[in-house]
Amino acid sequence: TGNSCTKDLAKYFIDLPTPDDIAPDIDDKATWTPINLHDIYTGQREPEQPTCLPRNDGHMLLYPGKVHSTYGEPESGKSLIVQWETANQLKQGNPVLYIDCESDEYSTVDRLKRMGVTLPQLEHLTYIRPERSWKASIAEHQAWKTIIDRHYTLAIIDGITEALTMFGFETNDNDGITKFMRLIPRQIARHTKAATVLIDHIAKNSSSRFAIGGQAKLAAIDGAAYLS
């Protein structure tokens, strides 16, 4: 009877991953842990309020710990808008993470300098220009873990198409986009508590007003998406 029971139970565990199958993770808490809803119901825990990128009337557009997107046609000012807010945060002494998959450090520093960022203020900026996935080696993974072990007020990923390619995913692959969002933007937002912004494109001269590629890009946003 014992052997029969073991065989019956085995079918439920046959697809469980082995330790070697599980990707390196930096979560310190299981996400399948039940959430305590009492404080939310009684109003003791309020929803997050936006803290970055003010409108002319003073209302903020970006939420801490959430993933956002700003997208538009080439040369529509997407990066410029986010870099303007980067400059604002640096001037206040707030830490900012900038992952640049599209441009380079020279043009980024030049823009921030023209926006009035001083050298001491620039020290609050963590600028990265990765060329491969953080899963590519132990050194890359350790560097990634160091990054997301910190707190940032604002985090930017500039060039989503390039970032997807870096991880071996295609722009039109919704499954790949979903995996990418969990590997990079969601982890940054969750662990660093930063208002996280993805800078993306729409197809040039296209009738579509959404980010280029799979619809999972928009579905994975838990903050807000803005067309520039």
Side-chain angles (χ1 to χ4, degrees), residues 85-200:
E85 180 58 14
T86 297
N88 287 340
Q89 294 298 324
L90 295 177
K91 291 174 184 178
Q92 297 175 53
N94 295 328
V96 177
L97 172 65
Y98 202 108
I99 300 176
D100 198 343
C101 301
E102 191 166 86
S103 186
D104 58 59
E105 59 270 36
Y106 299 99
S107 58
T108 300
V109 170
D110 181 63
R111 279 189 176 181
L112 294 175
K113 187 175 181 179
R114 290 171 182 268
M115 292 175 183
V117 174
T118 65
L119 186 57
Q121 292 167 346
L122 190 65
E123 296 298 320
H124 299 293
L125 178 65
T126 299
Y127 178 91
I128 301 161
R129 195 165 182 267
E131 296 184 357
R132 55 181 181 168
S133 162
W134 59 258
K135 299 176 68 176
S137 70
I138 294 176
E140 296 285 17
H141 181 252
Q142 289 176 338
W144 163 253
K145 191 175 185 302
T146 299
I147 291 166
I148 59 174
D149 275 346
R150 296 182 57 190
H151 165 75
Y152 305 98
T153 301
L154 179 67
I156 300 101
I157 303 176
D158 196 344
I160 295 303
T161 298
E162 291 78 3
L164 280 165
T165 302
M166 187 188 308
F167 277 80
F169 302 128
E170 297 182 2
T171 304
N172 293 310
D173 177 9
N174 283 309
D175 288 343
I177 291 170
T178 301
K179 291 177 182 178
F180 169 79
M181 294 295 285
R182 291 175 178 172
L183 283 171
I184 297 287
R186 287 282 181 85
Q187 290 205 41
I188 291 174
R190 181 188 308 137
H191 290 279
T192 73
K193 306 305 179 185
T196 304
V197 185
L198 316 181
I199 302 178
D200 206 353

